[in-house]
């Protein structure tokens, strides 16, 4: 049952060299740099209406600081905050403008160890490079992979049962797809929209770890173009263009200059709250992860930040 | 400094020798020279920590790597990530296990 969460709206990623990271996320991924300070950079995909969705923070290690979901209004934000607290996750209230151009945020740590935020106000600057009225199909002047928007994240942790209960019962997500070993869920893909996943978790001992940050593009041809750019720029490739079984999305994975895994994602299944979860079973795990190769690499399974 | 260094990799599986150019990382040299790679390769950018090695002997230079996986103290005693490590002469190295993700960054310090 949806409870007013609309979308993953921002993610703060730790990077070890901010200049190299900005170059990667703008010139390789094609995100738009909207604001920069000494130790933070704010970016967005061209099709996103809010002021930014990706925050890069200079740090001494890689990984994710927090993932924020945008909520429809303040009363839903406060209701969700109460419900999260009642679930057993202490919430921290961060005042408006703690993040520039963003309203107050409710932050909590989920059982798998990641920090999640909810907020309902952020400056809307509109889609980048196209008119608000009678808009063009896409803006000219995009760079690199021309990523349209921040799409989803995948996280690791041994406590995915509790995290899933929080997202489904408290935050109002639906279980869109899953990988199961009998009664045990190994992967949980959850949605607050029609997307095949807005957030996903894999059962793994790496508590609090980030597996990947994903960006959406339109088509398979964009995935191949992304692969060419990976080669042009000598970016470390993780997985060459292919399709997932889970979500049936088209995909390529590579690493940013600090070793955080990026995905460029296109297509994929849709879901509605009345859909039964799409289920994959352990004996077909290879096909569930990579639909053609059917054999996930050790690197894909074990490299996290 | 010679353009090519000799790397002697010692592990429980035995000893392997390979050459490493001055501008390539020890991990790149290992994956180029040996199949399968005697050092696990992950992100190749110092973030994931899979390619931890101990430099048992020899001089090396290291570029930026994640403090979660190699602290300054560990680096000072020769622990490093092979993807961020450059030989400055012949080396004797030993792969060491990656660290576990038991606690998070935020368990130890504030996020800003």
């Amino acid at each position: 049952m949806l409870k007013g969460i609309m979308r993953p709206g921002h993610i703060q990623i730790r990077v070890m060299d901010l200049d190299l990271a900005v170059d990667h996320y703008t010139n390789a991924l094609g995100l738009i740099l909207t604001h920069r300070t000494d130790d933070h950079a704010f970016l967005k995909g061209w099709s996103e209406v809010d002021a930014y969705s990706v925050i890069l923070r200079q740090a001494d290690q890689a990984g994710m600081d927090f993932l924020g979901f945008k909520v429809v209004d303040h009363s839903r934000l406060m209701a969700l905050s109460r419900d999260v607290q009642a679930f057993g996750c202490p919430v921290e209230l961060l005042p408006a403008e703690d993040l520039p151009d963003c309203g107050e945020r409710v932050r909590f740590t989920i059982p798998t160890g990641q920090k999640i935020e909810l907020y309902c106000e952020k400056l809307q600057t509109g889609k980048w490079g196209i008119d608000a009225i009678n808009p063009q199909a896409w803006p000219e002047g995009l760079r690199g992979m021309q990523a349209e928007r921040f799409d989803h994240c995948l996280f690791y942790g041994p406590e995915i049962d509790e995290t899933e209960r929080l997202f489904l019962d408290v935050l109002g997500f639906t279980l869109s797809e899953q990988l199961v070993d009998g009664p045990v869920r190994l992967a949980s893909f959850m949605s607050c929209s029609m997307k095949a996943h807005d957030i996903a978790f894999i059962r793994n001992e790496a508590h609090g770890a980030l597996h990947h940050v994903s960006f959406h593009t339109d088509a398979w041809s964009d995935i191949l173009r992304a692969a060419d750019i990976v080669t042009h720029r000598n970016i470390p490739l993780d997985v060459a263009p292919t399709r997932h079984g889970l979500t049936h999305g088209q995909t390529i994975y590579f690493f940013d200059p600090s070793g955080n895994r990026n995905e460029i994602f296109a297509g994929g299944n849709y879901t509605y709250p009345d859909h039964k979860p799409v289920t994959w079973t352990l004996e077909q795990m290879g096909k569930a992860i990579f639909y053609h190769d059917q054999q996930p690499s050790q690197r894909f399974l074990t490299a996290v930040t | 400094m010679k353009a090519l260094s000799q790397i002697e990799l010692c592990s429980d599986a035995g000893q392997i020798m390979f050459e490493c150019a001055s501008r390539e990382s020890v991990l790149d040299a290992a994956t180029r020279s040996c199949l399968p790679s005697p050092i696990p390769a992950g992100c190749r950018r110092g973030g994931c920590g899979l390619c931890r090695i101990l430099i048992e002997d020899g001089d090396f230079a290291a570029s930026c790597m994640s403090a979660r996986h190699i602290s300054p103290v560990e680096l000072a005693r020769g622990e490093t990530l092979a993807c961020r490590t450059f030989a400055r002469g012949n080396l004797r190295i030993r792969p060491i296990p990656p660290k576990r993700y038991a606690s998070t960054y935020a368990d130890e310090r504030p996020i800003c």
Side-chain angles (χ1 to χ4, degrees):
Chain A
M1 180 66 184
L2 298 175
K3 291 188 177 176
I5 294 179
M6 292 188 288
R7 60 172 172 269
H10 61 229
I11 181 169
Q12 182 161 302
I13 304 167
R14 292 188 295 271
V15 299
M16 298 184 285
D17 182 321
L18 189 56
D19 290 335
L20 279 180
V22 168
D23 176 61
H24 172 82
Y25 283 92
T26 57
N27 293 321
L29 267 80
L31 300 183
I32 313 298
L33 179 67
T34 62
H35 181 56
R36 166 103 195 237
T37 66
D38 285 347
D39 50 7
H40 290 77
F42 298 77
L43 308 99
K44 66 186 274 184
W46 69 265
S47 76
E48 295 180 280
V49 297
D50 287 348
Y52 56 86
S53 59
V54 172
I55 308 151
L56 306 173
R57 177 170 76 88
Q58 175 72 48
D60 67 358
Q61 54 187 275
M64 183 199 74
D65 281 337
F66 52 80
L67 168 66
F69 287 93
K70 195 173 189 189
V71 177
V72 288
D73 59 36
H74 192 260
S75 66
R76 304 283 190 107
L77 178 65
M78 290 300 106
L80 285 162
S81 174
R82 282 192 299 274
D83 293 348
V84 168
Q85 186 99 38
F87 177 82
C89 294
V91 303
E92 178 188 2
L93 271 179
L94 298 158
E97 291 302 317
D98 177 77
L99 266 184
D101 297 326
C102 186
E104 73 179 318
R105 291 133 67 211
V106 172
R107 182 189 282 176
F108 48 96
T109 304
I110 60 177
T112 37
Q114 293 81 13
K115 289 213 178 292
I116 299 293
E117 299 184 348
L118 306 173
Y119 65 97
C120 64
E121 288 176 351
K122 192 186 279 174
L123 175 69
Q124 289 213 332
T125 50
K127 297 184 182 188
W128 180 86
I130 62 174
D131 298 330
I133 308 293
N134 305 323
Q136 304 89 322
W138 43 268
E140 297 191 12
L142 292 173
R143 285 178 289 185
M145 302 173 192
Q146 309 185 351
E148 291 172 1
R149 56 178 161 80
F150 169 43
D151 190 83
H152 68 267
C153 286
L154 174 70
F155 299 119
Y156 271 8
E159 311 88 347
I160 69 165
D161 295 328
E162 295 77 24
T163 284
E164 182 191 283
R165 199 160 61 80
L166 172 64
F167 274 88
L168 297 182
D169 296 352
V170 179
L171 299 175
F173 283 60
T174 54
L175 181 66
S176 48
E177 312 219 355
Q178 60 179 342
L179 172 68
V180 297
D181 176 11
V184 178
R185 194 169 288 118
L186 303 176
S188 178
F189 285 45
M190 292 179 285
S191 179
C192 60
S193 64
M194 285 180 66
K195 288 154 60 187
H197 49 353
D198 286 296
I199 192 166
F201 295 89
I202 286 182
R203 186 185 300 276
N204 183 285
E205 65 170 21
H207 176 77
L210 168 67
H211 185 272
H212 70 260
V213 184
S214 183
F215 298 89
H216 190 265
T217 55
D218 198 37
W220 176 239
S221 55
D222 298 316
I223 305 285
L224 295 185
R225 179 186 164 79
D228 290 338
I229 291 165
V230 163
T231 297
H232 294 176
R233 296 178 63 93
N234 199 26
I235 292 169
L237 178 73
D238 186 29
V239 180
T242 185
R243 182 194 289 282
H244 288 300
L246 278 158
T247 75
H248 293 128
Q250 299 146 24
T251 179
I252 177 175
Y253 290 96
F254 50 90
F255 296 100
D256 83 2
S258 299
N260 297 300
R261 187 186 281 98
N262 296 154
E263 178 184 34
I264 298 287
F265 182 84
N269 298 333
Y270 67 89
T271 189
Y272 279 105
D274 67 335
H275 285 196
K276 289 194 171 66
V278 175
T279 299
W280 286 82
T281 55
L282 180 64
E283 63 272 21
Q284 301 235 355
M285 183 178 81
K287 198 190 285 186
I289 296 177
F290 296 123
Y291 196 62
H292 306 137
D293 200 29
Q294 302 189 23
Q295 194 123 45
S297 71
Q298 197 60 23
R299 179 176 61 208
F300 182 77
L301 296 175
T302 55
V304 293
T305 55
Chain B
M1 188 174 66
K2 287 187 296 184
L4 281 179
S5 300
Q6 303 297 319
I7 312 293
E8 177 187 354
L9 182 146
C10 306
S11 71
D12 295 345
Q15 183 212 49
I16 298 173
M17 298 288 295
F18 58 91
E19 289 185 336
C20 183
S22 60
R23 298 184 69 172
E24 71 179 338
S25 71
V26 170
L27 181 64
D28 283 345
T31 52
R32 180 175 54 72
S33 308
C34 316
L35 251 180
S37 172
I39 307 171
C43 73
R44 294 178 177 271
R45 290 296 180 269
C48 78
L50 287 185
C51 62
R52 277 166 61 90
I53 55 170
L54 173 66
I55 310 286
E56 294 186 330
D57 189 40
D59 292 333
F60 67 100
S63 60
C64 184
M65 64 185 88
S66 176
R68 164 189 277 275
H69 298 290
I70 300 289
S71 70
V73 172
E74 289 167 329
L75 185 61
R77 61 177 186 238
E79 293 175 34
T80 183
L81 298 182
C83 72
R84 306 275 86 183
T85 300
F86 301 87
R88 293 292 174 260
N90 297 343
L91 296 178
R92 191 173 74 242
I93 69 173
R94 178 178 294 276
I96 52 178
K99 286 188 181 169
R100 293 182 59 238
Y101 280 72
S103 64
T104 68
Y105 179 93
D107 291 336
E108 280 143 42
R109 53 185 125 170
I111 286 169
C112 48

